[in-house]
Amino acid sequence: MAETARHHEPRYGNRPTMKDVAARAGVGLKTVSRVVNSEPGVTPDTERRVQEAIDALGFRRNDSARVLRKGRTASIGLVLEDLADPFYGPLSRAVEEVARAHGALLINGSSAEDPEREQELVLALCARRVDGLIVIPAGDDHRYLEPEIKAGIATVFVDRPAGQIDADIVLSDSFGGAREGVAHLIAHGHRRIGFIGDQPRIHTATERLRGYHAAMVDAGINVQDSWVSLGSTDPSRVRAAAEAMLSGPEPVTALFAGNNRVTVTAVRVLADRERPVALVGFDDIELADLLGITVISQDAAAVGRTAAEHLFRRLDGADDAPARVELPTSLIARGSGELPPA
Amino acid sequence: MAETARHHEPRYGNRPTMKDVAARAGVGLKTVSRVVNSEPGVTPDTERRVQEAIDALGFRRNDSARVLRKGRTASIGLVLEDLADPFYGPLSRAVEEVARAHGALLINGSSAEDPEREQELVLALCARRVDGLIVIPAGDDHRYLEPEIKAGIATVFVDRPAGQIDADIVLSDSFGGAREGVAHLIAHGHRRIGFIGDQPRIHTATERLRGYHAAMVDAGINVQDSWVSLGSTDPSRVRAAAEAMLSGPEPVTALFAGNNRVTVTAVRVLADRERPVALVGFDDIELADLLGITVISQDAAAVGRTAAEHLFRRLDGADDAPARVELPTSLIARGSGELPPA
DNA sequence: ATGAAAGCGCTAACAA
DNA sequence: TTGTTAGCGCTTTCAT
């Protein structure tokens, strides 16, 4: 152990490099590079010798070095709210599939709906020089991304428009979906309809509320303040909001739930009551068919796929004006939305 | 446009480098590096000038170059089966949180249960020199990882033991959980109990089947071949298997579902029948409480967290013998598992 | 067909 | 406190 580490030596726990492979195979460095990258101009015999050295040493190309030279990382970043949310799993998976088809890896991070954390994540991804970025915005000001986009990081926003910045955007028709859902309840005889949604700083929450109002106005119904509640999707908050709307002298006879988490809690609240209350939820949920829950369904995978396809179009050089794609939602009637007023 | 690109110039769409910042601020390169990395030894005044240049140019450190020098990427890889599966979302999120606490990014990929794709993904992550790797094995031979592990990439396997390789492993007690679930059915009077599980090459599937057999043997019940079906979790396959077991002269009176996807389909099949059939499923499912489904619950987030913590212990230098951690499962009785035989 | 040399943007070591 | 130099492992260019 008389070895003296004279100079710095990161070497990743002592991995062989192309130089090592070259030495062992008795060829030049560039020849190894050619073999590793399947470039032409190597005789079968040389190639075999190089390959043997690669296998013997357990060589694996260091992509960090490669990236440094080539300028492209063959990776894209996805910043979403929470991977544990059943809406984002399929979305992320769809993005991954498209990335894979383009030979790229996906790095994703959860912002936990915190604008600061979103920025932190996005900048970390930029520092790693991802080729492109798909962002489900938590914050409402994305000017911090300007230098990045100018520097060539293609960016697509999803689910909510970006603040203060011009870029491609893919979203579901929150307004139209909510409007349709609420109109559905009205068509089944309801007039006093409650709306429970996510925090007002979240774009989809206000869009869906706008859809609710539009449907009510269309029907000539005067919305009472007490019928609307925006806030955290924490079960206790949602439960309290629902119970408030369902009690008192003039309780609502139907509820519109602004997203999947609200729906889940609403279903639980309604399960505890004897008087039937109609319910339509935004977002489909697993097993909702068995529980007979009527929902406005949005296709998370389609959203992810569309966003990723737009991103790679940009990466392939498309430079037309930023597009805004709005994907339709669909109402799935399963019973809870068709209950008449009690 | 008389500009001639004489030499190669990747430069990431023309991003400023530390050199550019240094020139603009009128300082040396290393001083910029110090400011960017918050190293000591810079006067407040110099720091301010450098920071101004950074902001003006929109400089962002290139982590590829940094990694190349430092040897650590501050990122870990997670290879799982399918991010769209509700079991893996929370698991991944838990890993991400631990990584974040250690200042690392998470790169994850879905193997789609394909051993080749798993290897492809893992090697891509290794080429990017992730510091560590958490793998939910799809294949049963991981010798291809030997050079990587030897080279210092810490690795933790999750959910299923790795094939042919010695490494940390974190899993749920599939055997014990299934045994408990089946014993629960037996305790409620069942003797003819069906088991529908995932493909036999998946370790958890055979472990759970082993648990089933153990419980049956404990009760002195002779298991009939027709009561057991392993295979794809595709709804049509599961439906066919369930219907076969539920028909004929001596149908099963209870079903044990080997994982969340099987449970979902089983619930749908049973919903179509009038004769009540008891059901216990492995893995909890959202809304299972409302449907009264009895399950063996495993804590996906705890599995992810534990695995990540082990990984970072290794990255922090721990070199004790590979550990095998088995997390307990818990039976949640909600009604379907307590139905008596018809 | 093959290789030598330069350099991607950064950090470690060493001077000044 | 600040700057200079070398070099991480690879690809690019250009020569042989």
Side-chain angles (χ1 to χ4, degrees):
Chain A
M1 299 298 167
E3 195 171 356
T4 343
R6 279 270 296 103
H7 224 46
H8 35 62
E9 40 168 345
R11 299 205 60 185
Y12 307 89
N14 226 25
R15 273 175 160 289
T17 71
M18 283 192 181
K19 197 173 158 193
D20 301 326
V21 175
R24 171 151 188 148
V27 300
L29 177 58
K30 178 64 206 181
T31 300
V32 176
S33 173
R34 286 197 180 93
V35 171
V36 169
N37 297 299
S38 312
E39 286 168 23
V42 183
T43 59
D45 182 60
T46 324
E47 172 164 1
R48 192 187 40 70
R49 269 172 36 236
V50 171
Q51 192 57 56
E52 277 170 15
I54 288 175
D55 294 341
L57 296 172
F59 168 83
R60 201 87 62 195
R61 181 181 66 199
N62 184 331
D63 277 356
S64 294
R66 166 170 235 246
V67 156
L68 186 56
R69 268 303 345 210
K70 301 205 71 146
R72 277 220 170 182
T73 54
S75 60
I76 64 172
L78 169 63
V79 176
L80 38 72
E81 189 200 331
D82 179 5
L83 210 40
D85 183 305
F87 179 71
Y88 292 112
L91 191 153
S92 173
R93 179 67 202 278
V95 171
E96 182 186 357
E97 288 304 318
V98 177
R100 181 176 141 84
H102 288 260
L105 265 188
L106 173 65
I107 309 183
N108 48 21
S110 304
S111 68
E113 208 60 85
D114 172 353
E116 225 169 287
R117 195 161 154 182
E118 172 204 303
Q119 176 167 349
E120 196 181 285
L121 256 169
V122 166
L123 293 183
L125 292 169
C126 289
R128 264 149 228 253
R129 297 295 188 267
V130 292
D131 300 329
L133 216 41
I134 298 179
V135 180
I136 293 160
D140 50 10
D141 186 348
H142 296 82
R143 275 172 295 188
Y144 71 87
L145 260 170
E146 259 167 30
E148 312 301 330
I149 291 178
K150 202 172 301 170
I153 295 194
T155 306
V156 175
F157 290 91
V158 170
D159 206 38
R160 310 159 195 176
Q164 319 290 329
I165 204 152
D166 210 29
D168 286 332
I169 149 108
V170 175
L171 24 66
S172 282
D173 181 13
S174 281
F175 171 77
R179 180 181 203 161
E180 182 183 8
V182 174
H184 186 74
L185 289 167
I186 294 170
H188 283 83
H190 297 273
R191 309 280 299 171
R192 298 198 307 276
I193 302 172
F195 178 97
I196 305 180
D198 211 328
Q199 325 215 33
R201 62 180 174 73
I202 295 177
H203 178 257
T204 50
T206 57
E207 277 299 288
R208 291 168 197 178
L209 177 57
R210 219 164 55 75
Y212 163 87
H213 273 123
M216 297 295 263
V217 166
D218 286 347
I221 303 173
N222 200 3
V223 173
Q224 315 261 342
D225 285 352
S226 63
W227 298 350
V228 172
S229 171
L230 296 191
S232 148
T233 57
D234 182 82
S236 62
R237 206 283 300 179
V238 172
R239 175 172 286 272
E243 278 170 353
M245 292 178 191
L246 293 167
S247 54
E250 289 223 323
V252 300
T253 62
L255 281 177
F256 187 87
N259 70 26
N260 57 357
R261 281 154 301 174
V262 174
T263 305
V264 167
T265 302
V267 169
R268 295 214 165 91
V269 170
L270 298 185
D272 294 344
R273 315 205 134 228
E274 64 259 37
R275 188 164 52 77
V277 175
L279 172 70
V280 174
F282 207 109
D283 292 336
D284 204 354
I285 309 176
E286 185 153 65
L287 297 184
D289 56 333
L290 290 177
L291 287 162
I293 307 172
T294 297
V295 298
I296 304 297
S297 163
Q298 54 175 330
D299 188 340
V303 170
R305 198 182 320 115
T306 306
E309 279 161 359
H310 273 260
L311 185 66
F312 280 101
R313 250 175 34 79
R314 294 287 176 203
L315 290 179
D316 289 345
D319 65 343
D320 38 317
R324 179 195 170 93
V325 180
E326 203 162 82
L327 298 176
T329 58
S330 59
L331 187 145
I332 306 178
R334 296 193 179 117
S336 75
E338 294 72 47
L339 292 172
Chain B
M1 300 299 165
E3 194 170 358
T4 343
R6 279 271 295 104
H7 225 45
H8 34 65
E9 39 166 346
R11 300 204 59 184
Y12 308 89
N14 226 25
R15 271 175 161 291
T17 69
M18 283 191 181
K19 197 173 157 193
D20 301 327
V21 174
R24 172 150 187 150
V27 300
L29 178 56
K30 180 63 202 181
T31 300
V32 176
S33 172
R34 287 197 180 93
V35 171
V36 169
N37 297 298
S38 311
E39 284 167 24
V42 183
T43 58
D45 182 60
T46 325
E47 173 165 2
R48 191 187 41 69
R49 271 173 33 236
V50 170
Q51 192 57 55
E52 277 171 15
I54 288 175
D55 294 341
L57 296 173
F59 167 81
R60 202 85 62 195
R61 181 182 65 200
N62 184 330
D63 276 358
S64 295
R66 165 170 236 248
V67 158
L68 187 56
R69 260 315 334 215
K70 301 206 70 147
R72 278 219 170 180
T73 56
S75 59
I76 64 171
L78 169 63
V79 176
L80 38 70
E81 188 199 331
D82 179 6
L83 210 39
D85 183 305
F87 178 71
Y88 292 112
L91 190 154
S92 173
R93 179 66 201 278
V95 171
E96 182 187 357
E97 289 304 318
V98 176
R100 180 176 143 84
H102 288 260
L105 266 188
L106 173 65
I107 308 182
N108 48 20
S110 303
S111 68
E113 208 59 85
D114 173 353
E116 224 170 289
R117 195 161 153 182
E118 173 206 302
Q119 176 168 350
E120 197 180 283
L121 257 168
V122 165
L123 293 183
L125 292 169
C126 289
R128 264 148 228 254
R129 298 293 188 268
V130 292
D131 300 329
L133 216 42
I134 297 179
V135 180
I136 292 159
D140 51 9
D141 185 348
H142 296 82
R143 275 172 295 188
Y144 70 87
L145 260 170
E146 259 167 29
E148 312 301 330
I149 291 177
K150 201 173 302 171
I153 295 193
T155 306
V156 175
F157 290 91
V158 170
D159 206 38
R160 310 160 196 177
Q164 318 292 327
I165 205 153
D166 209 29
D168 285 332
I169 149 107
V170 175
L171 24 65
S172 283
D173 181 13
S174 281
F175 170 78
R179 180 182 202 161
E180 182 183 7
V182 174
H184 186 74
L185 289 167
I186 295 169
H188 282 83
H190 297 273
R191 309 279 300 171
R192 298 199 307 277
I193 302 172
F195 178 97
I196 305 180
D198 211 329
Q199 325 215 31
R201 61 179 176 73
I202 296 177
H203 179 257
T204 50
T206 55
E207 277 298 287
R208 291 168 197 178
L209 177 57
R210 218 162 56 74
Y212 164 86
H213 273 124
M216 297 296 262
V217 165
D218 285 348
I221 303 173
N222 199 3
V223 174
Q224 315 259 343
D225 285 351
S226 63
W227 297 351
V228 172
S229 172
L230 296 192
S232 148
T233 56
D234 182 83
S236 62
R237 204 285 298 180
V238 171
R239 177 172 284 274
E243 278 168 354
M245 292 179 192
L246 293 167
S247 54
E250 290 224 321
V252 299
T253 62
L255 282 177
F256 187 88
N259 70 27
N260 58 356
R261 280 153 302 174
V262 173
T263 305
V264 167
T265 301
V267 170
R268 295 214 165 90
V269 170
L270 298 186
D272 295 344
R273 315 205 133 226
E274 64 259 36
R275 189 164 52 78
V277 174
L279 173 70
V280 173
F282 207 111
D283 290 337
D284 204 355
I285 308 176
E286 186 152 65
L287 297 184
D289 55 333
L290 290 176
L291 287 162
I293 307 172
T294 297
V295 298
I296 302 298
S297 163
Q298 54 174 329
D299 188 340
V303 171
R305 197 181 322 116
T306 306
E309 279 161 359
H310 274 260
L311 186 66
F312 281 100
R313 251 176 32 80
R314 293 288 175 203
L315 290 178
D316 289 345
D319 66 342
D320 38 316
R324 177 195 171 93
V325 180
E326 204 163 82
L327 298 175
T329 58
S330 58
L331 186 145
I332 306 178
R334 296 189 178 121
S336 75
E338 294 72 46
L339 292 172

